[in-house]
Amino acid sequence: MDLKELINDCKNNNRKAQEQLYRLYSGKLFAVCLKYSRNYTEAQDNLQDGFLIIFQKIGQYSFKGSFDGWLKRVMINNVLQQYRNQTFLSLVNEDIAEDYEIELDEDNISLDYLLRIIQELPDRYRLVFNLYVIDGYSHAEIAEMLQINIGTSKSNLARGRMILKEKIEQLKNEETKKFPSAK
């Protein structure tokens, strides 16, 4: 069965086709959920909720553009919807527009550690960081998606980067103390 036929069967509420679509895309979409969720369990819940929305809205997909991109957008919007009405996205101070660059020493910092510290960021910083840095959205797009202003998006990104930089420096300092002759 080709993808177009699978999508059309899902549009007709064919349960077997929906199951096949789930199996085909659940891994990729779980990775998306994991980026935007606070933890693994929340990501699993978001994946299930997201697929329910996908099956409800699949009739809106008109075979224009990438189906993978459409799925990802639906999933991201599902996760972000939880946060839109919460006050944690409000701006504290827009003056922190500095762009903190994070220097990584790939030999010393594991991908698992990076993913963990990104997930530990406060919601407002994690969401903006992932949307901007990982998924490549502009601050204008992020502001629209999260219903915040552009300055808030920039500020939240800068603060998130600052926190990540501090945690990475802390890890490096701890490793230097353990292995002082490594320098």
Side-chain angles (χ1 to χ4, degrees):
M1 177 182 302
D2 72 341
L3 184 60
K4 188 171 184 173
E5 189 178 339
L6 181 63
I7 293 168
N8 284 327
D9 285 351
C10 287
K11 287 180 179 185
N12 293 323
N13 292 319
N14 179 316
R15 297 290 178 217
K16 295 240 186 243
Q18 289 174 340
E19 181 181 347
Q20 188 175 350
L21 187 78
Y22 180 87
R23 287 184 185 178
L24 193 61
Y25 288 99
S26 62
K28 289 179 187 177
L29 294 177
F30 181 70
V32 170
C33 290
L34 200 53
K35 283 192 304 191
Y36 292 98
S37 301
R38 292 178 189 104
N39 55 51
Y40 192 88
T41 303
E42 186 178 279
Q44 289 175 316
D45 292 342
N46 287 330
L47 179 70
Q48 299 308 316
D49 293 344
F51 264 102
L52 291 175
I53 293 168
I54 286 169
F55 294 139
Q56 289 170 358
K57 295 186 175 196
I58 198 161
Q60 296 174 6
Y61 180 70
S62 59
F63 299 97
K64 293 179 183 167
S66 159
F67 184 62
D68 288 26
W70 182 84
L71 289 171
K72 182 178 176 184
R73 184 68 181 217
V74 170
M75 197 60 71
I76 289 173
N77 283 336
N78 169 59
V79 176
L80 295 181
Q81 184 61 40
Q82 299 176 43
Y83 302 111
R84 283 192 180 111
N85 297 325
Q86 296 179 14
T87 58
F88 73 85
L89 290 172
S90 62
L91 178 66
V92 175
N93 181 356
E94 284 188 28
D95 293 338
I96 186 164
E98 292 181 46
D99 196 21
Y100 288 88
E101 288 299 318
I102 301 170
E103 293 182 27
L104 299 178
D105 182 358
E106 290 84 9
D107 296 333
N108 294 331
I109 299 173
S110 73
L111 181 59
D112 288 340
Y113 177 75
L114 284 174
L115 292 174
R116 191 185 75 208
I117 64 173
I118 290 170
Q119 273 190 317
E120 290 173 354
L121 287 172
D123 293 336
R124 61 186 172 265
Y125 305 150
R126 185 185 69 252
L127 294 173
V128 172
F129 181 86
N130 283 326
L131 288 167
Y132 186 84
V133 174
I134 297 178
D135 289 324
Y137 288 100
S138 70
H139 285 294
E141 292 169 316
I142 294 168
E144 183 180 331
M145 292 168 78
L146 296 177
Q147 299 174 350
I148 58 176
N149 67 45
I150 293 172
T152 301
S153 177
K154 290 178 180 179
S155 173
N156 287 343
L157 176 64
R159 288 175 188 264
R161 283 183 168 167
M162 185 173 59
I163 291 169
L164 292 174
K165 184 176 181 178
E166 288 170 1
K167 288 186 178 203
I168 290 169
E169 287 174 0
Q170 181 181 6
L171 175 70
K172 287 180 179 179
N173 289 338
E174 288 171 7
E175 288 179 354
T176 302
K177 288 178 185 175
K178 287 180 187 175
F179 307 105
S181 62
K183 285 262 173 173

